[in-house]
């Protein structure tokens, strides 16, 4: 392989991420020092994470699969978190520090399985997601939150129409969208159309990625990221409705970037509009934390000593511009490419804390073009968010913080023994039918 001229020629033409020693001085202008003297308004922190595992329904039919999801939300006071942050490890008794803890569970047919009275895998996935959003949760449900988000009911003048790009009732290969009017939505959050009923949850467009033969395995990551962020908005809506001023004292943390991908990508527009409104009318402290990927690799490269090159020192952060991203993190042409334009409602920050932990964060931005020429004042509440992230260090994992570490343990569906137990449960349930 390595002696093949074609392979050798191909490798020579490839562009790779650059090392710290290759970063030019002019590209360090967005490095900022953290202002630790500001007043910290945060009193409560809510963190959300999710995970899933897939199991075979029948041993004689290994192609039949169901995915089990679990999502968790933990709510702490900053005072309790500051105490936990001093501990190198988190023990079971520390879970008692949680003031509020919720788990949300979902089982989704993935391949060669049809649920209930549905006639296809696509409709099974649609109905299962719909039912999950319709479940009662403390006198409300996620569907009410989705309606609040989609039709911008948080504004004085809500929106009336949402254009769904693809009609979920069409056959594969057929094209056509459907207009969803708020005034025509039934009490069960469905719409009657000429081709059949449409659920409000169909705006996620997950039906586009379901193949009756190949299955729905491709939507698992999309569903996870989607519901994690819906959970956060659900709590924001509850606080906004009952005690709006509390938003000034809450920090919401998502495990992963503030973005959507694949079929759910259009959701970023709705989330950006909500964040923009809350930042202008009240206040919003929201951050996404990444644990892996090219940005985390680059953050380690510029923050940790390698050949004497430390670009970002402890107590500093770097606001990433579009040009910087395509120049140093993920190869591309920044003149022709706009990072995250169809998926992100946030901008990226690399933070090197004073205690030598390295974080990649995303902060909501009011406009998609901000990353082309980013400035600190456009990243609302940045110093306040970083101060709290720095306080919540946790040595359980590299560059982890306490709430994310705890919620990760809360929702983790480890291969052993969780997967074995779920497989036995699925097999027993299937054999009883």
């Amino acid at each position: 392989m390595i002696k093949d001229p074609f392979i050798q020629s191909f490798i020579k033409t490839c562009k790779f991420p650059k090392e710290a020693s290759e970063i030019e001085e002019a590209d360090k202008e967005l490095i900022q020092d953290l202002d630790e003297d500001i007043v910290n308004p945060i009193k409560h922190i809510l963190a959300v994470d999710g995970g899933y595992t897939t199991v075979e329904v029948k041993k004689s039919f290994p192609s039949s699969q169901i995915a089990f999801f679990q999502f968790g939300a933990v709510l702490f006071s900053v005072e309790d978190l500051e105490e936990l942050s001093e501990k190198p490890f988190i023990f079971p008794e520390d879970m008692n520090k949680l003031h509020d803890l919720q788990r949300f569970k979902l089982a989704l047919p993935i391949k060669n399985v049809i649920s209930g009275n549905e006639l296809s895998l696509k409709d099974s996935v649609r109905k299962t997601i719909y039912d999950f959003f319709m479940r009662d949760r403390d006198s409300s449900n996620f569907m009410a939150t989705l309606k609040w988000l989609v039709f911008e009911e948080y504004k004085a003048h809500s929106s009336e129409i949402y254009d769904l790009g693809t009609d979920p009732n069409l056959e594969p290969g057929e094209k056509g969208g459907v207009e969803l009017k708020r005034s025509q939505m039934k009490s069960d959050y469905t719409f009657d159309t000429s081709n059949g009923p449409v659920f409000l949850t169909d705006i996620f467009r997950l039906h586009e990625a379901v193949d009756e033969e190949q299955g729905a395995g491709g939507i698992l990551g999309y569903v996870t990221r989607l519901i994690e962020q819906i959970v956060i908005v659900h709590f924001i809506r509850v606080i906004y409705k009952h005690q709006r001023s509390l938003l000034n004292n809450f920090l919401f943390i998502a495990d992963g970037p503030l973005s959507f991908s694949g079929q759910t990508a259009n959701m970023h527009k709705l989330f950006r509009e909500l964040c923009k409104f809350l930042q202008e009318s009240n206040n919003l402290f929201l951050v996404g934390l990444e644990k892996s990927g090219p940005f985390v690799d680059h953050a380690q490269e510029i923050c940790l000593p390698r050949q004497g090159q430390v670009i970002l020192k402890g107590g500093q952060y770097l606001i990433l511009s579009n040009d910087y991203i395509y120049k140093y993190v993920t190869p591309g042409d920044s003149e022709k490419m706009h990072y995250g334009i169809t998926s992100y409602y946030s901008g990226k920050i690399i933070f090197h804390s004073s205690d030598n932990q390295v974080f990649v964060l995303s902060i909501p931005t009011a406009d998609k073009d901000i990353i082309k020429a980013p400035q600190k004042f456009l990243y609302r509440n940045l110093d306040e968010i970083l101060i709290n992230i720095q306080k919540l260090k946790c040595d359980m994992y590299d560059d982890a913080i306490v709430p994310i570490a705890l919620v990760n343990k809360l929702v983790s569906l480890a291969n052993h023994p969780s997967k074995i137990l779920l497989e036995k449960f699925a097999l027993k349930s299937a054999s009883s039918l």
Side-chain angles (χ1 to χ4, degrees):
M1 179 71 73
I2 62 176
K3 292 183 179 181
D4 186 285
F6 176 78
I7 298 297
Q8 292 177 344
S9 176
F10 168 75
I11 296 298
K12 288 180 179 179
T13 62
C14 289
K15 296 179 180 179
F16 300 95
K18 295 182 179 180
E19 298 180 1
S21 59
E22 300 177 87
I23 296 179
E24 301 172 9
E25 287 298 321
D27 293 315
K28 303 175 186 178
E29 61 181 20
L30 286 174
I31 292 178
Q32 307 268 351
D33 292 318
L34 176 62
D35 182 2
E36 300 190 44
D37 295 327
I38 61 174
V39 176
N40 182 13
I42 302 302
K43 296 180 180 178
H44 309 282
I45 297 178
L46 187 141
V48 175
D49 192 12
Y52 68 87
T53 188
T54 58
V55 302
E56 298 171 359
V57 179
K58 291 188 175 183
K59 289 191 178 297
S60 56
F61 288 91
S63 60
S64 295
Q65 298 176 352
I66 289 178
F68 291 90
F69 293 81
Q70 186 164 224
F71 303 90
V74 292
L75 175 61
F76 276 93
S77 73
V78 169
E79 182 179 357
D80 286 341
L81 277 170
E82 288 175 339
E83 292 177 5
L84 284 177
S85 67
E86 299 300 322
K87 298 185 177 183
F89 299 101
I90 299 174
F91 297 99
E93 55 266 28
D94 294 321
M95 297 295 281
N96 295 328
K97 293 282 188 178
L98 297 175
H99 293 313
D100 190 17
L101 178 153
Q102 291 193 37
R103 292 184 179 93
F104 310 101
K105 299 175 178 63
L106 167 67
L108 194 66
I110 293 302
K111 191 175 182 182
N112 206 17
V113 176
I114 290 179
S115 65
N117 297 319
E118 304 306 320
L119 302 178
S120 66
L121 176 61
K122 180 185 75 172
D123 287 342
S124 296
V125 169
R126 291 177 58 209
K127 184 61 164 56
T128 303
I129 295 291
Y130 168 80
D131 289 341
F132 174 77
F133 272 69
M134 287 292 289
R135 287 186 61 183
D136 289 335
R137 307 184 192 279
D138 298 328
S139 73
S140 186
N141 55 40
F142 290 157
M143 194 68 85
T145 294
L146 184 61
K147 174 174 172 280
W148 183 77
L149 174 70
V150 171
F151 294 108
E152 301 178 354
E153 292 181 345
Y154 47 85
K155 296 181 178 180
H157 302 286
S158 58
S159 176
E160 171 62 18
I161 296 174
Y162 184 88
D163 288 318
L164 178 57
T166 58
D167 187 337
N169 293 299
L170 296 179
E171 294 298 321
E174 293 184 312
K175 296 182 179 180
V178 58
E179 188 178 74
L180 305 182
K181 293 185 177 181
R182 180 172 174 267
S183 59
Q184 296 178 359
M185 184 174 63
K186 299 163 68 176
S187 60
D188 61 354
Y189 301 92
T190 64
F191 303 82
D192 290 328
T193 72
S194 57
N195 293 319
V198 173
F199 305 132
L200 182 59
T201 46
D202 285 329
I203 69 165
F204 303 144
R205 300 176 65 164
L206 294 169
H207 53 272
E208 297 177 15
V210 178
D211 185 280
E212 296 299 324
E213 185 172 340
Q214 297 300 318
I219 72 172
L220 299 181
Y222 303 156
V223 170
T224 303
R225 294 291 301 125
L226 169 70
I227 295 180
E228 286 173 348
Q229 293 174 87
I230 287 291
V231 169
I232 288 178
V233 171
H234 181 72
F235 284 106
I236 289 176
R237 180 178 74 90
V238 171
I239 295 172
Y240 184 83
K241 179 180 178 181
H242 295 287
Q243 196 168 349
R244 192 175 305 181
S245 61
L246 273 180
L247 286 176
N248 297 323
N249 306 122
F250 259 87
L251 172 60
F252 300 92
I253 303 177
D255 187 19
L258 299 181
S259 67
F260 296 89
S261 56
Q263 271 63 34
T264 65
N266 277 343
M267 291 298 296
H268 86 276
K269 298 177 182 178
L270 298 174
F271 273 70
R272 188 193 297 279
E273 192 62 30
L274 172 64
C275 292
K276 179 181 177 180
F277 173 83
L278 291 177
Q279 287 176 338
E280 293 176 350
S281 63
N282 298 275
N283 214 346
L284 178 66
F285 300 88
L286 172 63
V287 61
L289 292 177
E290 299 181 40
K291 296 196 296 275
S292 60
F295 288 90
V296 174
D297 294 341
H298 180 74
Q300 297 285 336
E301 173 69 18
I302 66 172
C303 293
L304 301 182
R306 295 181 183 177
Q307 301 177 358
Q309 294 288 330
V310 178
I311 306 299
L312 197 62
K313 299 180 176 64
Q316 293 184 325
Y317 58 90
L318 173 63
I319 303 175
L320 301 187
S321 67
N322 193 64
D323 182 65
Y324 185 98
I325 289 171
Y326 285 119
K327 193 173 182 179
Y328 299 111
V329 184
T330 177
D333 186 350
S334 62
E335 295 295 325
K336 299 178 180 179
M337 303 167 71
H338 186 152
Y339 187 82
I341 189 173
T342 61
S343 57
Y344 275 74
Y345 59 100
S346 60
K348 289 184 180 288
I349 312 288
I350 295 177
F351 176 42
H352 190 180
S353 69
S354 58
D355 56 6
N356 209 37
Q357 296 216 78
V358 179
F359 301 99
V360 176
L361 312 93
S362 52
I363 306 291
T365 53
D367 187 89
K368 65 182 185 302
D369 291 324
I370 283 176
I371 71 164
K372 288 186 175 181
Q375 298 182 60
K376 178 183 174 180
F377 76 92
L378 297 172
Y379 292 71
R380 296 282 296 272
N381 303 318
L382 180 54
D383 283 320
E384 291 87 346
I385 290 172
L386 295 183
I387 283 175
N388 285 280
I389 294 298
Q390 181 169 262
K391 284 185 176 183
L392 308 178
K393 68 175 183 178
C394 171
D395 295 329
M396 176 178 279
Y397 311 110
D398 289 340
D399 303 320
I401 63 172
V402 171
I404 289 296
L406 279 179
V407 75
N408 186 265
K409 292 185 70 175
L410 170 70
V411 303
S412 177
L413 292 173
N415 285 339
H416 301 285
S418 299
K419 185 168 184 177
I420 294 175
L421 294 174
L422 289 171
E423 284 180 345
K424 289 182 177 180
F425 167 73
L427 289 168
K428 183 179 180 180
S429 299
S431 62
S432 64
L433 297 177

